[in-house]
Structures are given as structure tokens and as C-alpha cells.
Amino acid sequence: MSFKINKYDKSRKAFERAEKVIPSGVYGHLGPAEGCFIPVEAFPIFAEKAEGTYFWDVDGNRFIDYMCAYGPNILGYGDKDVNAAAFEQSKIADCTTSPSFKMVELAELLVDTVKSADWAFFAKNGGDTTTLAIMTARAATRRKKIVFVSGFYHGVAPWTQKLGYPGVMEEEVANNLYIPWNDFEAFEKIVDENEGEIAAFIATPYMHGNFQDNELPADGYWQKVRKLCTQKGIVLIVDDVRCGWRLDLAGSDHYYGFEADLICFCKALANGWNLSALCGKDWLKSAVSGVTYTGSYWLSAVPFAAAIACINKMKKLNLPEVLRKKGLMLTDGLRIAAANNGFNLVVSGEPALFYLRTADKDNNLMLHQEWVAECVKRGVFFTNHHNHFMNAAMTDEDIKFTIEVAEEAYRVLRKNHPEL
Amino acid sequence: MVDQRTLAYINLYAVLGTLENLCELDPAAGALLTNKKPISIGFEIKGGPSATLTFKNGRCRMEQGVGDCDVKLPFSSCEKFNGLLDGTVTPVPSKGFAHIKFLLKEFTPLTDLLAKYMRPNPEDLKDEEFFRISTTLMFYTIAVAIAQIANNDKVGKFTANLIVDGDIEMSIANGPAATLRAKNGRIVALKRAPENPRAIMRFESIQLARDLFDGKINAVATIGTGKITMKGMISMLDNLNRLLDRVAFYLA
């Protein structure tokens, strides 16, 4: 079978207009630079519409979307149950002077659902919650230092960036300490070297950093970290913005058998309706209450209604198990497609958020970038160096189609690289 | 605040080091060098770098260290050496007084010519050949400056530590190319393309490179237009761009 090769004339024209009035045309992770569109010509720039597991670009090309808007799409774009709840709420009230009681209902649902949650604090983006988590930890402990795992991503606030990044002052990252992932001895050492000064340890449930094979926690890692944090009065923060709801509806800390002090959610929380939440243990409720932190749209009711519907539907579907099975079916097929053409596709991370790398002897990722480009040109939207996301709307037929495209893309690579 | 030691490394290896390329690119530069015998000038900077420029047959070559040079120019500090480049310090040789004439009549005009290309007036840049040479020299200067910043500047060292080992190609299509070789958090710059790059950043044209170097455009913003090609280990290029930003801090 030979697949249609996409053209992006309208996307390119739209981008030319965009770059005149918008910095970088499309900035951030959805844009060609941070999104690693390699080469740019292989990727669509603007979407026209989305439904279920697909989006269509402005040129009318359809894509099976394995990025799911970088996570928010968990039930399918435009899920009828979630949207019905949101539209119904929009008829009643959304952004009002006194918040809707939906806020309380959602907080109660989160406390009932998320194992480590005794309370919930709402905002809009994942970065809002990681920043609040850090401020809460500092307020509670009256300490200033934060331990990070190298290769981390916790948003774009200055404290989450690194020395040398444009616009970031040295003082803003002066209290950041770095250790390798899965290295408990390094954590012990840094805690010892900074006795009484560390406010928090922040990490994702497993290492799903970009540009590297993703790595699951070693046996007993989180349990040892939890124990040491408790002993030393260090707040344990889990950034579950990316993994949250795809591994375990009770929280990814629960999935890996420990309890965080603070856990950050966003992305899939409301299936694309803009909302984030910091949940935490009771002993930090007083501290978080004292932090000055708010935003114009943080208590809007429509996303609360959407989140309630989303969580209830995810529970009904036992969604993490569904996504795991779909992820395994897909990645097994992709591996075989690669092997059929003499390539080695390395799959890492959790199946619901799989990470891909076509191995090459030079370890420079160029072969993988070529393969991803060939897939995208044929209507399967993968990205080069970021984990992917499964969603509930993806069918077995979609997965079969994807594997066929992947196989054809590998055949193109084989033809283009007779030397390999 | 500019770190004077890092600036001295940049001024010596990246700026004066570009004399090598000037002699290759502009016949007028070679013509200035009339000496029959090879002459070497050693720059010895206390608390900073040292290097020797050797002039032979209208060509120039830079090597690290002062070794057995004909003329030695010692500087008591990095600040004093940096003063040489901004014209506030006049060097006094500690060795090679017999070659004062070369210093005054050949070396100084050569560095004046370099300055003409490195700090060009807008009128000169309208000449296509001048533009090409000026931008090529700027390219090599920036490539070497990136390495100096990565190895000496506090912020640069932090960034360099985030770069995985391997060769980065920085190049202009149909123009100059450089290798930035990263190993164990340090970077070495070579003025040629790598044979086996782990990451590539290629500018579509010399005009685009010029605009980027002049700060008129931003590399990240330009990727979307396809005028800058990036491929391979993108995290290396991400950090390379941060070092590139830092070059402007020192050479603006």
C-alpha cells in the first residue's frame, strides 16, 4: 500500500502571515522550533478542526494525533460527555465574581479520587501548579533550596529554567540543586551536604525528559526517596502534569507505590478544557493557604464542570488500563515494522506515554528524524524527541493504519540509506 | 558584567586568531606581509591565555603557547591585553626589538584591516565581496568565541556542561563551516566542517547568517521559516544557541 503524501501550502502561507505579527510565528512546544519539526516542510503548522483521535490541518490533511495536544486530549477531541457538561455549565455561569459551587464539587471528587490528596487548589496551567508547589514547600519549611532531577521540565517560570537561558537571572536559579534520575545515593549525598536547607524534591513519576530514552523508576527508588524526605522534613513534590490520569486515576505516585506531599495536575484533567490543580496532604493546607496566588480565570466554572465529567468518564472506562493496552498494541507493531526493514526502534517509558527512538550507529538521531518526517507526511503525527500520548478514542483500525504507515516510512529510509 | 579573563580568551583566539582567515580571504592582507623570513609574535597574558601568531609567505597561523617566538608581547593582566584590542593599551615587547618595524609596518596595518572587516561601516558592506569576507571572518570569530565562552565564562561553563559529547556542525550553505567539538563539558572549535556531526545548524545564506550575527533576527524564530536547518541531537543546538547569545554579550 502506498499512502498519500501531504502538502502544506496553506499552512506555509498562514505561517508567513503569523510570523509578521507573532514572535516565532508559532512559539512554544506547538511551534516548529520547540516542536522539533525536522525538516519543517514535513509538518503541518495550523489545525483546522479536531475530532476523536484525529486533527485536520488547514490544507485538509488528516492526522492520527499521537501528541494529543501534548497531553490534554485523553478521551478524544470533542468528547461528547465532557463537552455536554461544559456547554451546560456555560449556559449557567462561567467567570463570575463569586465562584461556582462546581469548584467544591471538583475538589471533593479529586480528594475522593487521588490517593494523596486532602485538598485541591485550582489554576490554569501545569506551570501554575509547580510554582505553587515550590512556594508552598518554601513557606512550610522556611527553607530555600530545591532538588531537581537532571533533564527535568517543570514549566517555564524562571525558577524552572537554567543558568544561561535568556531572561533568567542567576539569582532565580541559585537555589536549584541537580541530581541524576534514579540515583538515590546522589539524593542522600545532596541532602547531607545541604542539611536543613532543602525545602523540596520535585520530580516527575518517571524520567520522561526529552531527547533521551525514558526511564522508569528503579525498584524501591521512590520508597527510599519518600522515607528520606519524611526523615529530613523535605516536601516531596510529584509533577504529574504529563503522566497524570494516564497511569493511575489515583495519581502516578499511587501507581508507583508511594505518596507525594504535593502532586501537580493539568493536561488531561479536563480533556482540553483549561484547568490545572495542585493537590496535597493535610499538613500543607495551612501553608498553601498563606501563599498569595491567584489568577483572573482560575475559578471559572466551565472547566470545573468539564473536569468532573472527564474524571467520571475516565473512572467508568478504567482508562489507564485501556491506554496501556492500546499503547502496547501500537508500540509492539511499530517495533515489528522497524525490524521488518532492518531497523531497531527503541520504545521506552510507559505504554500510555511511549517514547520512540530509531537506533543508529552514530547516535545522532538523524535517522529517527527522517522516519518521523516520513510518518507525518503520511498522516501519522509523531514528534521527534518528546514522549507521545494515547487517548481513548483511538481504535484498533487507527493503530493498524499507523503501523502500516510506519512500515512504509521505514521502507523509504531503507531505500534512502542503502549504506546502512 | 563582562568577565575580563573570558574576554581575553575571546580576543586572543577568536579575534586575533581570525587573522589566519583574513590572510586567506583577502589578497590585500597577504600583500601587507612583505617580510621574507617567517616571523612569530607571542602573546603572553598573565592569568590568561597565550598564543603565537606566525607569519610566513603572506599567510598567518596561530598556535597555543608562546614557545620560541621572535617577538614576545607580555601583558600583566587580562584587562591590559583587552586594552590592546580596544586601543587603550600600547604593548611593549619583552623580546624581539629588532622586529619593531614588522610590528609597526606590517602587523598593525593587518590588524587595522581586520578591524575594518570586523567593525564595518554600512557603505563598505554594500560591496558584495567585502560583505562575504566580513561575514566569513565574523563567522569564524563567533565559532571560536563560542568555545572560549563554553570553557571560561561562568554561565557558559554551566551551559557547556549540558551538551553531550560529539561534533556540532555550524555552517553557512555554500560558505564557511566550523566544528564545535564537545567533550566532557568543554568545547574545541575547528575551522572546518566535521566528518561525522552529531548535530547540524546550517544557515541558508550568508545574508541570513549576517542578520543573525548582527542581532537582527533570532535563530529560534527563523527555524520555522526553514532558513535555518537544524537536525540531529537538537539538545546540543539548543545549548549552542545559548552560547551564541552569550557571544553578543562579549563582542557587542
Side-chain angles (χ1 to χ4, degrees), chain B:
Chain B
M1 197 173 74
V2 166
D3 172 47
Q4 289 294 322
R5 185 170 176 274
T6 303
L7 183 59
Y9 274 86
I10 292 171
N11 278 334
L12 183 59
Y13 295 129
V15 178
L16 288 182
T18 308
L19 286 171
E20 293 178 326
N21 310 98
L22 175 66
C23 293
E24 288 171 4
L25 290 165
D26 187 353
L32 287 169
L33 300 168
T34 59
N35 60 304
K36 297 283 186 277
K37 290 181 182 174
I39 291 182
S40 56
I41 306 175
F43 297 84
E44 191 170 52
I45 301 144
K46 190 174 181 185
S50 64
T52 299
L53 282 168
T54 301
F55 300 90
K56 182 182 175 185
N57 299 329
R59 295 295 177 114
C60 169
R61 172 104 186 121
M62 176 176 265
E63 288 178 337
Q64 289 197 13
V66 288
D68 190 23
C69 57
D70 299 311
V71 182
K72 187 183 280 184
L73 298 176
F75 296 87
S76 58
S77 67
C78 291
E79 286 87 344
K80 293 280 186 194
F81 173 68
N82 294 332
L84 171 72
L85 273 287
D86 64 25
T88 59
V89 170
T90 303
V92 178
S94 64
K95 175 188 172 188
F97 292 96
H99 298 293
I100 291 288
K101 187 182 166 196
F102 173 80
L103 279 179
L104 295 175
K105 300 290 184 186
E106 297 183 33
F107 180 70
T108 302
L110 192 66
T111 55
D112 288 345
L113 182 61
L114 180 66
K116 190 181 168 198
Y117 280 115
M118 298 297 282
R119 297 185 189 279
N121 69 54
E123 276 304 306
D124 287 341
L125 284 172
K126 289 178 183 170
D127 179 86
E128 198 176 314
E129 183 60 4
F130 184 94
F131 180 87
R132 185 186 71 82
I133 295 174
S134 172
T135 308
T136 302
L137 293 174
M138 196 182 263
F139 173 87
Y140 287 127
T141 302
I142 286 170
V144 179
I146 285 171
Q148 306 317 312
I149 288 168
N151 300 337
N152 297 287
D153 174 69
K154 180 184 173 186
V155 175
K157 283 199 275 192
F158 183 89
T159 302
N161 258 313
L162 300 173
I163 300 179
V164 295
D165 290 356
D167 284 358
I168 302 172
E169 176 187 314
M170 186 171 86
S171 60
I172 300 174
N174 304 312
T179 300
L180 293 156
R181 179 162 293 162
K183 190 164 187 189
N184 299 326
R186 289 182 66 80
I187 291 181
V188 174
L190 308 169
K191 294 175 181 176
R192 55 180 159 75
E195 287 179 7
N196 192 19
R198 202 168 178 199
I200 296 172
M201 179 163 69
R202 188 175 296 141
F203 309 121
E204 175 193 65
S205 68
I206 200 156
Q207 180 66 56
L208 181 93
R210 181 92 209 182
D211 289 346
L212 184 76
F213 300 157
D214 286 346
K216 290 180 185 169
I217 57 171
N218 179 281
V220 173
T222 312
I223 290 168
T225 66
K227 291 176 182 171
I228 295 181
T229 301
M230 293 201 189
K231 59 181 178 177
M233 192 64 81
I234 301 299
S235 61
M236 297 175 91
L237 302 179
D238 192 27
N239 287 302
L240 179 72
N241 274 321
R242 305 201 193 293
L243 293 171
L244 194 56
D245 279 347
R246 201 101 183 121
V247 172
F249 180 65
Y250 280 96
L251 288 179

Side-chain angles (χ1 to χ4, degrees), chain A residues 25 45 74 79 150 187 229 236 245 259 391:
Chain A
I45 309 280
I74 192 166
D79 178 82
S150 298
F187 183 49
C229 283
L236 178 52
W245 311 103
E259 282 198 19
N391 72 78

Side-chain angles (χ1 to χ4, degrees), chain A residues 12 19 165 170 363-364 369, chain B residues 154-155 198 224-225 232 242:
Chain A
R12 296 310 310 171
E19 65 167 345
Y165 280 34
E170 187 176 350
N363 194 19
N364 62 21
Q369 289 161 359
Chain B
K154 180 184 173 186
V155 175
R198 202 168 178 199
T225 66
R242 305 201 193 293

Side-chain angles (χ1 to χ4, degrees), chain A residues 132-151:
Chain A
L132 178 60
I134 295 298
M135 292 174 77
T136 301
R138 284 177 168 154
T141 62
R142 300 188 189 282
R143 300 171 183 173
K144 60 185 179 182
K145 294 186 179 178
I146 308 294
V147 178
F148 296 78
V149 172
S150 298

Side-chain angles (χ1 to χ4, degrees), chain A residues 293-309:
Chain A
Y293 211 62
T294 187
S296 296
Y297 301 98
W298 289 9
L299 305 189
S300 293
V302 168
F304 291 146
I308 291 167

